[in-house]
Amino acid sequence: MAELTTHTGGGPALDAATLAKDFPLLSRKVNGRPITYLDSAASSQRPSAVLDAMREYDETTHANVHRGVYGIAEEATRRFEAARTNVGRFIGAPAPSREVVFTKNATEALNLVAHSWGRSNLERGDVVVLTEMEHHANIVPWHMLAAERGIELRWLPIDDDGQLVLDDLDAVLDGAKVLAVTCMSNVLGTLNPVAELAARAHAAGALVVADACQAVPHLPTDVSALGVDLLAFSAHKMLGPTGIGVLWGREELLQSMPPFLGGGEMILDVRKDGFTPNDIPWRFEAGTPPITEAVGLGVAVDYLRAVGMDAVRAHEISLTSYALDALRDRFGADIRIFGPQAAEDRGGVLSFAFRDVHPHDISQILDEYGVCVRAGHHCAKPLMRRLGVNATARASFALYNDERDVDTLVEALDAAGKFFG
Amino acid sequence: MPGLEDLYREIILDHYRSPRNRGELESPPAVRVEGFNPLCGDEIVVTIDVEDDVLADIKIAGTGCSISQSSASLMSAAVKGKSLAEVRELIGTFRQMMSIHESTLPSDGAGGGSSEAAEPQAIDIDALGELAALQGVVKFPVRIKCATLSWNTLTQGLDEAGVPA
């Protein structure tokens, strides 16, 4: 792995250009130009260390886990479980080997919560509180439960700066059974005060479910400090592979929850008249899990830990600040950047409207310059309606982006403006 | 890699900047249909007046990218005042122009194996007039849905108006 520079006197905490060399895809060209990858909020790239570890596991160790008595099966199981514990430690889990459930992705993790905890704890008339900035993954499972159970969904609003409006929080939480909230908006970059929200939700008797998809890859994350009950995130947004996500839950809470999917692995016993579910976390992992992917996720966690999450956060504040200034200086009133206006109040996600050029057209022109940004509703249509737009263009950063990427974005955006004149 | 000039032809940009037949007809009597592109959240509203065998009037409302907006504008200009049979035929020809190229792309879930695309049938590009400018869109597969949104919405409107397919 690339060496890191030390953080001194407010200088760069990490050397993004050096780290970028660890990511093979970032050396490719797009339309004849070096790639400028600004879509890590959708999916991040993977360092060679992750790709190599997955290949090495597949070539030397692969067998099914928790089944074989033979050597490599034991070794595969050991590596799979080591990845689990590693991930748990990374987020400060008090019982890392029992509190981390591997899922297909964060969406499945949130569906698991709604299905398992929701169906055994919520009845007609019960209230689930969401925020206007949630991703569809933290909305639709609750909608489905509402349709099935007749539960009520309440919404915490946002203000024009993209911050949650908490003036009526206690009234909104009154009688609520669940608060489901994102740690960081995938559109606005807003960093929500999750610890405060969790404390007040608990005081109201509500369970707290956190969507940490954008937080875990970019911020130091400690589940105990956050005080939440359940927390979901995806490997592929944190330098790991697709196909694996994580649900963390407090041990005694997971113990109380019934299984989600049924099948192999999740049982202790199956008889003709029924079954006995397995212990946590395997109770929630029906069927053969994503083993290679767990190995990859474990190495992604090692990589992030070696860089240091404080350094990642410092770098992204610095880069976001640079980008906010560069875009405003060049385009003035022609660009509208959504969300909090100060870099310290947000993550490295910049959604914007540029003149009246449609995000699709912006993205198309940017692609000509090798610049990859997302255009669309970002799976947050209630938020789009609140912002009064159908779609936005979104540039998002990771530890391998630097100021040159921002400069390229600005130049390409300028070209898009000229094209649609 | 196709260039941007294949996509953003001058006619397309003209219809994007100065869209024809904007607005909504009073409904009823007009038939009003909404179309959505789930990919980007774009919404389009097509209202049509059908009189006897003729598409007497059409208006387009909603928002979208240059491709969806110009395609809708070009469509409205092409079908307004035409007989319903001609409109159905034009829709068919336009869809063919889009789908011929779609079928030569690797299909979803085909595993990257050899394409089983049918032999492209010859289509009458001349019959499309200005609409032929949208031909370049098929080289940008993600944008085909943008171009076909208004056409699918019009088809739905004709169906709702009881126009035989």
Side-chain angles (χ1 to χ4, degrees), chain B residues 110-124:
Chain B
S114 63
S115 170
E116 291 177 28
E119 273 300 299
Q121 294 172 306
I123 59 164
D124 188 359

Side-chain angles (χ1 to χ4, degrees), chain A residues 8 18 23 28 54 66 103 108 150 193 200 236 275 300 343 351 361:
Chain A
T8 48
T18 305
F23 294 76
R28 74 163 279 181
M54 292 172 71
H66 303 134
T103 59
E108 187 182 281
R200 289 173 70 177
H236 73 95
F275 73 98
S351 286
D361 293 316

Side-chain angles (χ1 to χ4, degrees), chain A residues 90-395:
Chain A
F90 185 64
I91 56 168
S97 64
R98 294 187 298 281
E99 295 180 333
V100 168
V101 176
F102 285 136
T103 59
K104 183 173 68 181
N105 46 36
T107 296
E108 187 182 281
L110 291 164
N111 275 272
L112 191 166
V113 172
H115 197 94
S116 167
W117 190 90
R119 286 174 135 206
S120 49
N121 288 280
L122 297 177
E123 294 169 359
R124 176 167 296 278
D126 282 343
V127 172
V128 172
V129 177
L130 307 172
T131 83
E132 282 185 333
M133 68 174 84
E134 293 312 305
H135 186 283
H136 293 167
N138 203 18
I139 297 175
V140 180
W142 303 109
H143 267 315
M144 290 166 71
L145 204 58
E148 180 191 310
R149 289 281 158 114
I151 62 170
E152 178 194 341
L153 303 187
R154 280 187 202 152
W155 299 83
L156 268 177
I158 61 167
D159 63 20
D160 291 339
D161 201 35
Q163 300 280 7
L164 289 177
V165 177
L166 302 178
D167 300 348
D168 299 324
L169 180 62
D170 290 332
V172 173
L173 286 172
D174 186 40
K177 290 277 180 72
V178 179
L179 169 66
V181 60
T182 183
C183 296
M184 171 181 152
S185 164
N186 68 313
V187 177
L188 305 168
T190 311
L191 300 170
N192 286 324
V194 175
E196 181 198 341
L197 290 168
R200 289 173 70 177
H202 284 153
L207 184 88
V208 180
V209 182
D211 170 359
C213 284
Q214 302 295 337
V216 171
H218 303 284
L219 309 165
T221 303
D222 183 313
V223 291
S224 300
L226 288 173
V228 300
D229 300 296
L230 296 152
L231 180 131
F233 55 100
S234 263
H236 73 95
K237 295 188 201 292
M238 52 187 290
L239 317 184
T242 57
I244 186 165
V246 172
L247 175 69
W248 169 85
R250 281 192 296 108
E251 184 174 5
E252 65 275 21
L253 180 66
L254 290 179
Q255 294 283 13
S256 76
M257 287 164 54
F260 173 37
L261 301 173
E265 183 79 25
M266 50 73 69
I267 48 86
L268 284 180
D269 185 29
V270 179
R271 305 165 303 277
K272 283 184 176 175
D273 65 349
F275 73 98
T276 308
N278 203 340
D279 294 331
I280 63 167
W282 310 289
R283 181 190 303 170
F284 304 104
E285 295 178 355
T288 296
I291 308 165
T292 309
E293 289 75 11
V295 170
L297 171 58
V299 175
V301 162
D302 290 340
Y303 188 96
L304 287 169
R305 190 184 280 124
V307 174
M309 293 311 294
D310 285 320
V312 170
R313 174 62 183 147
H315 172 70
E316 290 184 12
I317 290 177
S318 159
L319 190 56
T320 302
S321 176
Y322 179 83
L324 288 168
D325 289 345
L327 290 166
R328 287 177 192 138
D329 287 352
R330 177 67 79 93
F331 303 115
D334 279 346
I335 195 162
R336 176 186 171 201
I337 299 168
F338 299 99
Q341 296 300 304
E344 294 74 19
D345 297 336
R346 61 187 301 156
V349 169
L350 294 177
S351 286
F352 56 91
F354 182 61
R355 300 194 195 166
D356 57 355
V357 185
H358 191 281
H360 263 177
D361 293 316
I362 291 174
S363 182
Q364 191 87 59
I365 305 282
L366 262 50
D367 183 52
E368 195 72 7
Y369 289 81
V371 179
C372 309
V373 300
R374 176 86 187 273
H377 53 62
H378 316 295
C379 299
K381 288 197 80 173
L383 176 60
M384 292 293 116
R385 292 196 171 92
R386 169 63 180 81
L387 299 174
V389 296
N390 283 345
T392 73
R394 180 187 71 183

